[in-house]
Amino acid sequence: MSAVEESIKTKEISKPKTAPIGNRILDFLSSVRFGVVLLCILVFLSILGMLFIQQNVQGFDSSFAMRTPAEKFVYGYLGLFDIYHSWYYKGLLLLLSLNIVLASIDRFPSAWKYISEPKLSATRGWLLNQPQNAVIKIYGNSEGEIAERIGKAFEESGFKPRITEENSKSYATDEEGKKDFNRTESKKSLYVFGENGRINRLGAYVVHVFLLTLFLGYFVASQTGFDADIRLTPDTNQAIQRDFNVAQKTDAIQLIEINLDKQERFNVQLPFTITCTEIEQKLIDPNGSIEINNTLDWRTQIKIDDPQYGQTVADVSLNRPFTYRGYRFFQASAITMGSASLMKLELKPENGGQPIIVDLKRNETAELPDGTKIAYNTFLPDFVMQGGQPSTKSGDYANPAVVLDVTKPSGETTKVYAFANKLPDNAPINAPKAGYRWHLASYDKSPLAHVLSIKYDPFNAAFIAWYIGGFGLIGALMFVFFISHKRVWAMIDKKSENEFEIVFGGNANRNHLAFEDKFKTIVESIASNEIPEQKI
Amino acid sequence: MEEVNRIQNEVFTAREKSEKPTNFSSYLPAILALAGAFVMLGLRIQIGTGFISDTALMMLALACYILAALFQLTNLYAPSEMAQKIGLWGATLGVFLNLASWLVRWVNTYEFELVQLQASGNTIKPWVFRYIPFGNLYDLSLAFAFGAGITTLFVAHRKNFQFLSAFTLPLAALILTLARFIGGEHSNLMPILDSYWRPIHVGVASLSYGIALVCFAIAVVYLLKDKVKVEAMAIFSSLFAIAVIGSISGGSIFTQAVYRAGTFMPNPAGGKPFNAFFRFELPFVGWALVLSGILLAGVIIAFLAYLYQ
Ligand code: HEM
């Protein structure tokens, strides 16, 4: 819509055949039509991104494995497995941003006119053409006094009044009341103009600013940052780390890249080392499983050794991510292979006497009064001997056992298995060792490893995009749609000595029903010839 | 199509005849419904588990929605002040019970888990928003229907918009019916959902679904008012339905006449069930959907023939 609402349109008689090529390109780039097309393409690509499991999403590996070689090749070539980072997606976003900027610049002057040069007067015909209009007759002393009165009524309803005198031109009428199109008459009329919420005309630009914040923030984040997972266990046992592809200490993270049909993993070096010191799973029912539906929270304790900034210890919980130097650590999932973080051992001396209770932490060593050292080696949830080596049949706590390295004061070391299930005393594996009969009295459940998701965003661009851009966009859209620019005009026409005709017209750019109510209230309050009482 | 004519000729134009601008008391039904529901919440907390259950409240809300819609529909055929009044206050009662059900459910979910925690010797007392009924599709449906209901009440503050309930309340009733089929059993919350984002995100989403539902009804009514042919609307709805049937199950309905559903496999190694690599074929469903597609195509052809004859 243009603020020049009453301009007389002249037919263009001749049009230059072609505008300069530069102008035409600019016109095209700033056209709303082009913007709409770009938006549709982006929406379409985003839908594709939801239909094809993206490479950083859980379940990608299995879905990728199911594809035929041809699918892998074609989709991989088209970048469909990582569409939001593909060059064409980012290119379209930039183009759309440019388009919004240009379109906004193009239209801004006409929106600004509503604020810089409000329309203060109008012809009778124009007023009667407005969605809301009314003609009333009232009595008063002078035009000035009537204008005052109308202004007050406007003000009462929250409209800022402005009184102007303007020459109005109209065709003269002959004796029979017919318009004589050969003569125009010029008459001075007093106008009262009132408006409310004109700032709303700029709402679209506020929306676009936040929209651009969102787009550009996202663009910068995806250009400069990355997402990756690390699988961390506090368990120092090398064999377990190898078997389950987990680490206790790492200074690199693995990223995936699809190169045509091949998934390639490559390491990205971190500027610090991460060590997992403890993981914990808070359960609803501590005797139940470590499955998700019995879980309140997961907590991973990490230690960061940074050559530049020294050591930091931090906790990462499900809804408490931890941020360090642009890296944000989130809980992503758990490897629900049963393990334990705290064990209670019951030791019965071989030669009789009171049993000894020992508390042992994962990775740690406990010492008995007689100087025997008990070192944690491994926890096995479903113990089985395999090829002479202790191993586990499954991840469930079916036959939990802890493997210990026990060193006698004499310096001699033995491997000891302590079982949670009661075993017959004569079972060879339950034979007394190092002077004691060993029993795993209790343990608290903890998964073997936690998967942390790392989001690297060196410029906080994602934060700016989503929090400032996102909330700003919501606020701006509310501003656009819940505020409206309402305008009313009253033209005062002297009919006789103290009889005046007032022509009202009004419009609003939104919420026409509410405006209609307001308009009626204003007109009625003026027609009833009484100024609404001042509220005290 | 008498009611369509009435919408076109009377209901929307009634505004010109309507006397006064609206005032505060026109919002009374919405205010009463909201306040009443919170009183019910207070009663539930005071009285304890002996109080009426949330699922029973939901069924009552459903009954009220249907009743109100029925009277509003009757009012379209045979205008009567009484039918309109019953429609409005029936809707108010429905919204009241709907929100009461949701609020009471909050308390029930809280107690459900607290009992579990205490039984296993856990002394943790999680924060109250952990139990906000936005945890599953049942909860969401309750909130969705409430969103539609309360929007209907707000819109109904203009007298000549009250008839919209005839369109929106059957939809709200449909949602509650679906919720009934899902079932209101309590289940433990996924740990990831125990975040302050959930009340914000799901709350905004479900209310806006409700608002969008009312907007949908208004849009249809405006189409009627602008004399778009009902048959044309039926044709487009049928096309949309065919597109939906054609695109579900990986497009296998119209190509192979089978419907396959995604399957979760129990994890033999323990741990959460995983998404199976294959989809399980449900017997008969494929053919039933093909039949529906054919019937929809029949609708399209019949109405096209009717429109162009
Ligand atoms: C997701 C994308 C977009 C959103 C959410 C959005 C939002 C809005 C909103 C809320 C308005 C105000 C509407 C009104 O006053 O009634 C508006 C106006 C406008 N938008 Fe956008 N917009 C988007 C993209 C675009 C694009 C790509 C263009 C590029 C050509 C564009 C050009 C305009 C123009 C020219 C106006 C009218 C300004 C005026 O009347 O002064 N918008 N937009």
Side-chain angles (χ1 to χ4, degrees), chain A residues 172-228:
Chain A
T173 45
D174 58 19
E175 306 81 58
E176 290 153 38
K178 278 200 188 131
K179 275 188 180 159
D180 180 354
F181 291 108
N182 295 324
R183 286 187 298 139
T184 55
E185 278 179 348
S186 180
K187 201 166 85 178
K188 268 208 164 56
S189 292
L190 212 51
Y191 291 92
V192 188
F193 166 69
E195 66 175 339
N196 172 315
R198 64 179 178 182
I199 194 77
N200 178 261
R201 295 283 177 183
L202 300 184
Y205 303 97
V206 185
V207 169
H208 290 172
V209 165
F210 284 116
L211 199 64
L212 288 174
T213 312
L214 222 160
F215 284 179
L216 295 179
Y218 174 78
F219 180 78
V220 171
S222 79
Q223 268 320 82
T224 58
F226 55 77
D227 288 335

Side-chain angles (χ1 to χ4, degrees), chain A residues 1 29-36 39 96 99-100 103-104 107-108 110-111 200-201 203-205 207-208 211 215 473 477 480-481 509-510:
Chain A
M1 199 197 283
L29 282 179
S30 56
S31 70
V32 175
R33 192 172 300 183
F34 181 53
V36 171
L39 266 179
L96 182 63
N99 171 248
I100 296 178
S104 298
R107 309 300 196 287
F108 187 78
S110 71
N200 178 261
R201 295 283 177 183
Y205 303 97
V207 169
H208 290 172
L211 199 64
F215 284 179
L473 193 60
L477 285 173
V480 167
F481 290 112
N509 63 347
R510 288 172 235 292

Side-chain angles (χ1 to χ4, degrees), chain A residues 119-343:
Chain A
K119 181 176 171 61
L120 299 174
S121 62
T123 62
R124 184 191 172 93
W126 191 84
L127 288 177
L128 292 178
N129 235 336
Q130 292 308 297
Q132 298 303 324
N133 60 71
V135 183
I136 60 168
K137 276 215 172 72
I138 56 173
Y139 298 91
N141 300 329
S142 69
E143 282 160 315
E145 185 243 299
I146 300 268
E148 267 320 272
R149 218 194 286 173
I150 295 173
K152 275 241 171 64
F154 280 5
E155 227 168 331
E156 282 293 310
S157 291
F159 286 72
K160 212 174 109 204
R162 267 187 175 186
I163 300 172
T164 42
E165 197 177 44
E166 193 82 32
N167 272 328
S168 69
K169 265 199 192 128
S170 60
Y171 293 113
T173 45
D174 58 19
E175 306 81 58
E176 290 153 38
K178 278 200 188 131
K179 275 188 180 159
D180 180 354
F181 291 108
N182 295 324
R183 286 187 298 139
T184 55
E185 278 179 348
S186 180
K187 201 166 85 178
K188 268 208 164 56
S189 292
L190 212 51
Y191 291 92
V192 188
F193 166 69
E195 66 175 339
N196 172 315
R198 64 179 178 182
I199 194 77
N200 178 261
R201 295 283 177 183
L202 300 184
Y205 303 97
V206 185
V207 169
H208 290 172
V209 165
F210 284 116
L211 199 64
L212 288 174
T213 312
L214 222 160
F215 284 179
L216 295 179
Y218 174 78
F219 180 78
V220 171
S222 79
Q223 268 320 82
T224 58
F226 55 77
D227 288 335
D229 283 350
I230 43 172
R231 300 153 66 94
L232 289 176
T233 180
D235 207 314
T236 44
N237 187 310
Q238 295 293 328
I240 290 226
Q241 291 185 17
R242 184 168 13 84
D243 291 352
F244 289 93
N245 184 25
V246 294
Q248 198 246 343
K249 193 174 184 156
T250 181
D251 61 357
I253 45 180
Q254 229 176 30
L255 292 186
I256 306 175
E257 194 178 53
I258 305 273
N259 202 344
L260 293 185
D261 56 340
K262 277 182 268 317
Q263 262 193 75
E264 285 169 0
R265 288 168 194 275
F266 60 95
N267 279 342
V268 174
Q269 195 66 30
L270 295 175
F272 45 78
T273 316
I274 307 166
T275 312
C276 176
T277 47
E278 189 53 273
I279 66 180
E280 188 195 354
Q281 186 162 6
K282 292 200 184 91
L283 298 176
I284 295 174
D285 176 3
N287 302 315
S289 72
I290 53 171
E291 295 307 322
I292 291 175
N293 56 11
N294 188 34
T295 304
L296 284 169
D297 201 0
W298 290 279
R299 182 179 72 91
T300 310
Q301 193 182 60
I302 53 174
K303 191 177 78 189
I304 291 176
D305 286 298
D306 191 326
Q308 272 171 281
Y309 296 91
Q311 198 176 71
T312 313
V313 176
D315 268 339
V316 184
S317 286
L318 197 49
N319 284 306
R320 285 237 168 89
F322 164 67
T323 310
Y324 184 80
R325 290 184 68 184
Y327 293 84
R328 224 160 134 74
F329 297 80
F330 299 89
Q331 285 288 347
S333 68
I335 298 170
T336 53
M337 154 96 185
S339 186
S341 55
L342 196 70
M343 288 142 277

Side-chain angles (χ1 to χ4, degrees), chain B residues 25-109:
Chain B
S25 67
S26 59
Y27 286 109
L28 206 59
I31 295 166
L32 281 180
L34 291 178
F38 279 93
V39 170
M40 292 290 272
L41 172 67
L43 286 175
R44 165 66 183 83
I45 294 171
Q46 279 299 312
I47 294 174
T49 42
F51 195 66
I52 182 169
S53 76
D54 61 274
T55 40
L57 285 168
M58 185 278 266
M59 291 304 281
L60 290 174
L62 176 57
C64 288
Y65 282 158
I66 295 175
L67 183 89
L70 222 60
F71 274 93
Q72 288 290 5
L73 273 175
T74 314
N75 183 49
L76 278 185
Y77 277 102
S80 111
E81 187 75 11
M82 190 184 70
Q84 203 168 2
K85 279 223 167 77
I86 297 179
L88 177 65
W89 290 103
T92 307
L93 201 61
V95 174
F96 154 68
L97 290 165
N98 192 162
L99 182 61
S101 161
W102 186 80
L103 289 170
V104 166
R105 191 173 172 76
W106 196 335
V107 182
N108 288 348
T109 315

Side-chain angles (χ1 to χ4, degrees), chain B residues 192-212:
Chain B
I192 183 73
L193 297 181
D194 189 10
S195 150
Y196 66 88
W197 272 111
R198 191 167 54 103
I200 301 172
H201 171 244
V202 189
V204 170
S206 53
L207 276 182
S208 42
Y209 290 171
I211 294 169

